[in-house]
Amino acid sequence: GTRSAVLNTEARTVEADVLSRRCVMMRLVDFSYEQYQKALRQSAGAVVIILPRSISSVPQDVVRQFMEIEPEMLAMETIVPVYFAVEDEELLSIYEQTRAASASQGSASAAEVLLHTATANGFQMVTSGAQSKAINDWLIPSVEGRLTGLGGEDLPTVVIVAHYDSFGVAPWLSHGADSNGSGISVLLELARLFSRLYTYRRTHAGYNLLFFASGGGKFNYQGTKRWLEDNLDHTDSSLLQDNVAFVLCLDTLGRGNSLHLHVSKPPKEGTLQHAFLRELEMVVASQFPEVKFSMVHKKINLAEDMLAWEHERFAIRRLPAFTISHLESHRDSLRNSIMDRRARIDTKALIRNTQIIAEALTRVIYNLTEKGAPADMQIFTDQMQIQQEQLESVMDWLSSQPRAAQLIDKDSTFLNTLEYYMGRYLKDVKQHHVKADKRDPEFVFYDQLKQVMNAYRVKPAIFDLLLAVCIAAYLGVAYVAVQHFGLLYKMIQRLSLKTKQQ
């Protein structure tokens, strides 16, 4: 947020020569970082970026360019408020009229500029909201649930994690379809599939499954950090205490023909995490040869302010963990962009990636490879197949609403719906609320994330000046005319008297 969000200034576009103390309007299709910096350098009163109704209608090169610019916009400290608005006919009309008025300022003739400036219609942009204030206490809500394995209390636990929050340059426009709506969609589908397997004694595995939808993921995985502290440091009874087989984090799984298993430390042979890696490789090679699979090893850099992937939170606590994603690098701009919308999700890729993860996870939990199951044997078929309609509807629901961390509180409809959905398939489902550690990383949230901006049609100040001059001239002419008329009238009277006397 910005502390200078309240606005009352005249509209201009970047074509104008002078932008100081003006509300500069830009369309996404014409947006460039150079123009944006020009407005900031000239101390514009505000910047309004107009987004199209459908991101899918925007050329891909424009989308990619803006996604690359977003981190720069976020990193640049500025007191100029930046607004985003979705276009409609009225807003486009305002923009076009403002653009025509701004472009005319570059005319060759000073007289033409003066005349056009005096006669053109302008717009005064005024916000009606209050000044933004810092939020002192911010709660991070998360949701957890479990499926208890068969065979005793000391069973190994497989933890499946995905963060639900999204991030972008504008919180109310951060829908996060791929990052990380796709991860939550896969987590919920895995919960549904394994709940069916765990319903029958014949297919009830000897592993506990712990599902965790974490909050504050875009802020250094704050929800996961505090959840681990509560389960490892402040309790004597937790599935995370003793026997964690591995932690599987799901992140950005809705596109592409590649899958990458990100690890902080390569798994050793003979461990369950190494077995999962081998199962993933085998499932991809035998059933989905079009997919490029690889393991990406990146050590944790504690000197950096932000961790790269969610599994690093678990690795720091010495729990074996990895993240699976179609992105090869954590620095991909897709992870933090308002351009990450539903239209960019490839449903076939999402279903395929869900299938790959479910197949590999099942083969590990039930030890199918050691039992002689062929590599190309598909487990989730017929009545147990992945339900495309349900996966799509969950994806639609997730990507239809902004999920920026500062918009989600413990009473939000989104969180209650997520808890209800997980409760359909899992046991002991509950919300987990913690206060954010604002020093890791250092951040401050503000309220007033949504403002109403009114555009009032006005004449420019010079119009009032010229109008005053014209009125004064008119009154002057009228005064002179009256004076002359009075003299003429007296002269006529004198002539009339002389005529009578003669």
Side-chain angles (χ1 to χ4, degrees):
T2 172
R3 283 169 258 184
S4 309
V6 177
L7 179 68
N8 187 348
T9 188
E10 192 178 352
R12 284 286 184 270
T13 61
V14 288
E15 286 80 9
D17 293 329
V18 179
L19 302 179
S20 177
R21 300 172 125 188
R22 302 293 191 273
C23 178
V24 182
M25 304 179 74
M26 305 177 181
R27 288 187 71 191
L28 179 65
V29 291
D30 306 319
F31 182 85
S32 73
Y33 194 51
E34 291 73 23
Q35 293 175 335
Y36 177 72
Q37 285 185 312
K38 174 188 173 184
L40 298 185
R41 281 196 305 270
Q42 292 196 22
S43 301
V47 175
V48 175
I49 300 173
I50 303 172
L51 302 175
R53 294 180 186 177
S54 174
I55 298 297
S56 59
S57 64
V58 182
Q60 288 302 305
D61 59 331
V62 175
V63 173
R64 281 195 299 271
Q65 179 188 9
F66 185 80
M67 287 170 62
E68 291 170 1
I69 291 171
E70 269 187 274
E72 299 292 333
M73 295 175 69
L74 286 162
M76 180 185 297
E77 185 175 350
T78 172
I79 61 171
V80 176
V82 181
Y83 290 89
F84 290 84
V86 180
E87 68 182 18
D88 55 24
E89 291 181 5
E90 289 80 6
L91 185 54
L92 286 179
S93 174
I94 292 170
Y95 172 79
E96 292 299 337
Q97 291 180 62
T98 305
R99 186 178 186 181
S102 301
S104 68
Q105 295 180 356
S107 303
S109 169
E112 287 180 357
V113 173
L114 185 64
L115 179 62
H116 190 279
T117 302
T119 57
N121 287 319
F123 292 93
Q124 191 78 6
M125 314 303 283
V126 181
T127 54
S128 56
Q131 188 70 271
S132 298
K133 296 179 181 178
I135 301 173
N136 295 322
D137 291 321
W138 175 56
L139 284 178
I140 306 173
S142 303
V143 186
E144 65 174 282
R146 66 184 68 187
L147 291 172
T148 305
L150 181 67
E153 296 181 355
D154 300 326
L155 296 174
T157 299
V158 173
V159 187
I160 302 170
V161 181
H163 67 86
Y164 63 76
D165 58 308
S166 55
F167 188 73
V169 71
W172 272 98
L173 297 174
S174 302
H175 289 218
D178 199 3
S179 180
N180 192 29
S182 63
I184 289 290
S185 297
V186 175
L187 180 142
L188 295 176
E189 184 63 9
L190 291 176
R192 186 189 69 81
L193 293 172
F194 281 98
S195 70
R196 294 194 65 183
L197 289 174
Y198 275 47
T199 299
Y200 307 103
R201 187 175 181 85
R202 188 168 57 89
T203 55
H204 200 158
Y207 284 86
N208 296 317
L209 297 182
L210 183 57
F211 294 83
F212 184 58
S214 62
K218 300 300 185 181
F219 288 86
N220 221 11
Y221 309 104
Q222 287 272 332
T224 299
K225 176 188 178 184
R226 300 301 302 275
W227 184 63
L228 283 170
E229 290 173 355
D230 285 354
N231 279 276
L232 297 179
D233 302 334
H234 305 142
T235 183
D236 296 328
S237 176
S238 168
L239 291 179
L240 295 176
Q241 281 284 356
D242 302 317
N243 193 2
V244 174
F246 60 82
V247 180
L248 174 61
C249 300
L250 309 169
D251 196 327
T252 50
L253 293 162
R255 289 177 56 122
N257 287 319
S258 61
L259 273 180
H260 305 282
L261 193 70
H262 296 269
V263 300
S264 302
K265 186 178 180 181
K268 295 180 180 179
E269 288 193 29
T271 61
L272 202 68
Q273 54 266 35
H274 186 269
F276 180 68
L277 170 63
R278 290 290 169 256
E279 295 291 359
L280 276 172
E281 291 174 334
M282 188 169 62
V283 169
V284 170
S286 60
Q287 300 181 30
F288 304 94
E290 74 279 7
V291 177
K292 176 188 174 184
F293 177 80
S294 67
M295 183 185 76
V296 180
H297 175 215
K298 178 192 170 299
K299 291 183 178 179
I300 300 174
N301 186 357
L302 295 176
E304 291 187 359
D305 291 335
M306 302 286 285
L307 296 177
W309 299 99
E310 191 158 16
H311 74 265
E312 295 184 353
R313 277 290 174 210
F314 295 90
I316 289 172
R317 301 304 299 261
R318 300 189 181 279
L319 294 174
F322 26 63
T323 297
I324 189 165
S325 170
H326 71 76
L327 299 178
E328 191 170 2
S329 170
H330 68 282
R331 299 187 187 279
D332 196 294
S333 57
L334 173 69
R335 302 183 73 202
N336 300 304
S337 176
I338 62 173
M339 296 290 108
D340 183 12
R341 296 297 185 93
R342 179 68 175 89
R344 294 178 61 82
I345 294 293
D346 182 351
T347 302
K348 290 183 178 178
L350 180 63
I351 294 170
R352 181 201 64 211
N353 291 339
T354 306
Q355 180 94 22
I356 291 172
I357 295 168
E359 295 277 344
L361 199 55
T362 305
R363 295 182 73 93
V364 167
I365 290 174
Y366 292 92
N367 200 21
L368 296 182
T369 299
E370 294 296 323
K371 294 177 180 177
D376 59 353
M377 182 186 78
Q378 288 195 0
I379 301 162
F380 294 99
T381 58
D382 300 328
Q383 298 298 319
M384 282 294 295
Q385 67 181 345
I386 292 168
Q387 293 183 358
Q388 179 176 339
E389 271 188 33
Q390 185 155 321
L391 195 60
E392 284 184 324
S393 65
V394 170
M395 192 72 246
D396 291 341
W397 167 66
L398 287 165
S399 57
S400 66
Q401 56 196 312
R403 302 188 315 281
Q406 56 267 58
L407 302 179
I408 307 294
D409 57 33
K410 62 181 181 179
D411 298 320
S412 71
T413 303
F414 165 77
L415 201 69
N416 292 329
T417 306
L418 179 62
E419 181 183 16
Y420 169 78
Y421 194 97
M422 292 177 67
R424 291 172 60 185
Y425 308 113
L426 306 175
K427 305 295 184 183
D428 301 325
V429 175
K430 60 184 177 181
Q431 292 189 24
H432 186 267
H433 303 126
V434 294
K435 284 190 177 181
D437 182 357
K438 297 180 181 179
R439 297 166 298 175
D440 181 26
E442 188 173 348
F443 63 91
V444 179
F445 283 150
Y446 289 84
D447 60 5
Q448 303 295 331
L449 296 173
K450 219 174 186 180
Q451 293 270 20
V452 175
M453 184 180 293
N454 300 292
Y456 295 99
R457 189 185 298 274
V458 296
K459 289 290 185 182
I462 194 171
F463 173 81
D464 294 336
L465 178 62
L466 289 178
L467 184 62
V469 170
C470 291
I471 292 172
Y474 169 77
L475 292 174
V477 170
Y479 176 77
V480 171
V482 168
Q483 291 292 326
H484 280 283
F485 179 77
L487 290 173
L488 183 62
Y489 180 72
K490 288 180 180 179
M491 289 175 64
I492 292 172
Q493 278 186 327
R494 288 175 183 173
L495 287 172
S496 177
L497 287 171
K498 286 181 179 179
T499 304
K500 285 179 180 180
Q501 290 173 356
Q502 291 176 355

